Amino acid sequence: MINTWGVAAVRALKRPTAPVTCALIAVCCVVFVLSPLSGLNPSYGTGDRLIAAQQAYFERWGVVPVELLSGKPRAALTPLTALFVHGSWLHLLGNMLFLYVFGVMVEERMGHLQYALFAVCCGCLALFGYAVAHAGSGQTLVGASGAISAVLGAFLHLFPKARVTSLFPFLFFLPLRFPAWVVLPFWVALQWVAAGQQRQGPGVAYLAHLVGFSLGFVYAWVCCRRGTRVKASGPATEGDSQP
């Protein structure tokens, strides 16, 4: 899941229409609101009943590595369903805002159908890759951050000179502007360090970030041409966590 380390604004030529990105955001939001995780659906009850419903929801729709790799038919589709499940409001809103800012530009460059297949397939592969690396884990993995990380990887290749304004906690949240080729590799380095320190099962799935980012960058490098320099702006934030 995408680790929160700052807030970014990307300089873009324009904010083009992006039906696939908007559809992905809409589906994730609707799924979350209707689920027991939002706390807005009274049919799931409250207290212990709600907690039990949430746990069952994660187990049904999220990726459980040990079950996925056991070959159970029901688990085979969970890398797809888990992309649309988020554990909290912060998890959802952070992911969706970041997907919008970077996804709109990548979708415009790739085209709608290609972008849709790219995001979904890379997201599934990122979750599967994490499951392989944690084959014995019985903890649940959810969230769209594998797909979003792939979008970031593609963005780095397609728009390396796009200006990204970031707020870094260790610099007292001083806003600094850097090109994408500086900011995004720095983010990857943070994920790499965090993944190396992670010994147990899922908390934040740093390895899924790395797999997704790598897939996205390689795909864009092989299949897409770089874009022109971008000039208009839009805000983004990062945040992805796992229950």
Side-chain angles (χ1 to χ4, degrees):
M1 291 25 197
I2 293 183
N3 187 34
T4 302
W5 58 268
V7 178
V10 179
R11 308 288 296 182
L13 179 63
K14 59 179 180 177
R15 301 308 299 172
T17 58
V20 175
T21 297
C22 292
L24 291 173
I25 291 172
V27 171
C28 287
C29 290
V30 170
V31 167
F32 182 79
V33 169
L34 296 179
S35 77
L37 309 173
S38 69
L40 300 178
N41 192 333
S43 65
Y44 291 105
T46 59
D48 291 342
R49 181 184 171 192
L50 178 60
I51 294 175
Q54 291 173 341
Q55 183 61 36
Y57 190 84
F58 283 130
E59 293 176 354
R60 177 176 177 81
W61 302 112
V63 171
V64 180
V66 68
E67 293 187 2
L68 177 62
L69 299 177
S70 70
K72 293 182 178 180
R74 185 193 65 80
L77 290 177
T78 56
L80 175 61
T81 59
L83 291 177
F84 302 97
V85 177
H86 292 82
S88 68
W89 283 100
L90 181 62
H91 186 192
L92 173 73
L93 297 177
N95 266 5
M96 296 304 101
L97 186 55
F98 213 63
L99 174 60
Y100 176 73
V101 170
F102 288 95
V104 166
M105 296 171 63
V106 174
E107 179 179 349
E108 181 188 35
R109 184 52 46 82
M110 286 188 177
H112 306 312
L113 179 59
Q114 183 182 16
Y115 172 78
L117 295 174
F118 159 79
V120 172
C121 290
C122 286
C124 290
L125 288 173
L127 290 173
F128 185 80
Y130 186 93
V132 170
H134 296 82
S137 175
Q139 297 191 49
T140 308
L141 185 66
V142 298
S145 61
I148 297 172
S149 296
V151 170
L152 295 183
F155 186 95
L156 176 60
H157 176 74
L158 295 172
F159 308 101
K161 296 182 180 180
R163 306 298 294 182
V164 179
T165 302
S166 299
L167 304 179
F168 298 97
F170 56 84
L171 294 178
F172 304 102
F173 295 98
L174 180 67
L176 300 173
R177 291 182 59 206
F178 298 101
W181 66 265
V182 172
V183 175
L184 293 180
F186 178 72
W187 175 81
V188 171
L190 292 179
Q191 308 308 299
W192 183 272
V193 171
Q197 296 175 344
Q198 190 174 46
R199 304 301 180 192
Q200 302 298 323
V204 174
Y206 300 108
L207 181 58
H209 296 176
L210 294 172
V211 173
F213 187 92
S214 300
L215 289 171
F217 185 87
V218 170
Y219 180 87
W221 179 52
V222 172
C223 301
C224 306
R225 293 182 299 173
R226 284 186 180 181
T228 56
R229 185 179 179 184
V230 288
K231 299 179 180 178
S233 66
T237 187
E238 299 186 61
D240 204 342
S241 59
Q242 159 142 5

